[in-house]
Amino acid sequence: MKKRMLVLSAACAAGALVLTACGGGDAGESADGSVTLKLVAADYGDKASNSSTVYWEDVAKRFEAANPDIKVDVQVVNWNDIDAQVKTMIQSGNVPDVLQTGGYADKVADDLLHKAEDVLSPATLDNLVDTFAEAGEVDGVQYGIPFVSSARALFYNKKLLADAGVTEPPKSWADIKAAAEALKKKNPDVVPYALPLGPEEAQGETLIWELGNGGGYTGEDGAYTLDSKANVETFQWLRAHLVEPGLTYGNPAATDRKTAFADFAAGKVGMLNGHPSLIQMSKDGGVDYGVAPIPGKDGALDSTLGVADWVMAFKDSGHQEEIRKFLDFAYSKENTLKFDEMYNLMPVTEDTLQEMTSSGKHKDLEPFFELLPKASFYPLGDTSWDAVSAEIKKSGGTAVGEDPAKVLGDLQKKAEQIAANQ
């Protein structure tokens, strides 16, 4: 399919989301000939008033008004429960029509999904941001349809750095070390650099740092490279220059992202890698924060870790044309813009991005959108990734307290075993 690279203007901003759906079988056919699509969506709200139910029921109502022969049954599920519930649906034969959740590769492996080009019009396909659309591919074929996105950047406390004599945000690892040393000398009670390598965020923080040294989780052939020379060197540097000198938490392998974010928002952390949700947390905490590109070994990266949530369409129901109509409607600018602004997330469609860029209402997100076109991703199209990610979360952070070569070597062996058993 033809795709365009995303063009960003000087002012950028936006928001991100996730969507889910489910239904299937003959239950979707009504006596009057109408079709009911089952939509199950992950809930991005933290209370009833901002539940995603409100959004999706409104979308469904307007879609049904324009398409009286198609009904949409909306079910919104807590993020903690959605994957288990969908698994039960599939096992019981109640296969979804449309599903949005965190991953799609296992559904592709079981041959459950439509190709994206079969359930999206050419115009909707072409409107997806390249980097995120390509991250939805398995063996060069797109099945995962990105619905919302996020990215990572360096957050820093402007006042703490200024008080320590640091006049500009770090651009390299050496800059991170120097700024952290200055912070510790000026204010010993502050954690200079938060390094959350606990089970909540180890896979993200790890990849961010490895990208800064030209490493990563897989090679060009798609095979795992967890213990590559570049990755081992990355953890050797972290251990020698941040952990052992006491410039981060005492035990990064037991430190979760939520702890690091809360401490930054409370003015107790000088620097950390974060995503857009930290913006509001920082404002609520009264922190004068700055955002900059991720520092790499030799200078600031022009890329970042990209994260997306996914929509997928199931083949079982036979409702391909009805699904296409609904997804084209759901991906219209009116709807994606509303959702992105509702949750202060970032879009994955070019028209919504351009709208948010030109509106001037999303200045806080400009640094993230400047990085999105070259975002790097987890190996999402590999069915073994979820299990490998779980292993990285479990023990990857110990590489800054133990021998990095051994820890990463053990992880590499586990990854190879998992991949071989898929």
Side-chain angles (χ1 to χ4, degrees), residues 230-265:
N231 292 348
V232 171
E233 288 178 348
T234 296
F235 275 91
Q236 288 173 335
W237 189 93
L238 288 170
R239 180 179 179 179
H241 297 282
L242 290 185
V243 179
E244 291 180 345
L247 299 178
T248 185
Y249 290 103
N251 186 4
T255 303
D256 281 339
R257 180 183 63 193
K258 62 183 178 182
T259 298
F261 276 26
D263 286 348
F264 183 84

Side-chain angles (χ1 to χ4, degrees), residues 57-100:
E57 288 185 344
D58 174 66
V59 171
K61 181 179 179 180
R62 289 183 286 109
F63 174 77
E64 291 171 352
N67 300 272
D69 292 335
I70 307 174
K71 309 300 180 185
V72 181
D73 180 16
V74 174
Q75 180 182 352
V76 173
V77 182
N78 184 284
W79 267 110
N80 293 331
D81 303 322
I82 191 167
D83 287 343
Q85 289 195 22
V86 169
K87 183 177 181 179
T88 299
M89 292 173 188
I90 293 173
Q91 290 175 341
S92 65
N94 183 26
V95 180
D97 287 296
V98 181
L99 169 68
Q100 180 282 311

Side-chain angles (χ1 to χ4, degrees), residues 305-342:
L305 172 61
V307 180
D309 292 321
W310 304 93
V311 171
M312 58 213 76
F314 286 75
K315 298 188 292 185
D316 184 72
S317 70
H319 299 151
Q320 180 179 342
E321 289 306 314
E322 291 83 2
I323 291 171
R324 183 200 300 266
K325 288 182 179 180
F326 177 73
L327 291 181
D328 279 346
F329 183 84
Y331 275 82
S332 67
K333 184 173 70 171
E334 175 187 3
N335 291 319
T336 56
L337 179 63
K338 182 177 180 180
F339 193 97
D340 293 341
E341 292 187 332
M342 177 184 293

Side-chain angles (χ1 to χ4, degrees), residues 152-156 169-171 176 193 271-274 290-295 368:
R152 305 295 169 85
L154 179 74
F155 280 73
Y156 59 97
K171 295 183 176 63
I176 286 279
Y193 180 88
M271 301 173 287
L272 80 170
N273 293 323
V291 178
I294 299 291
F368 294 94

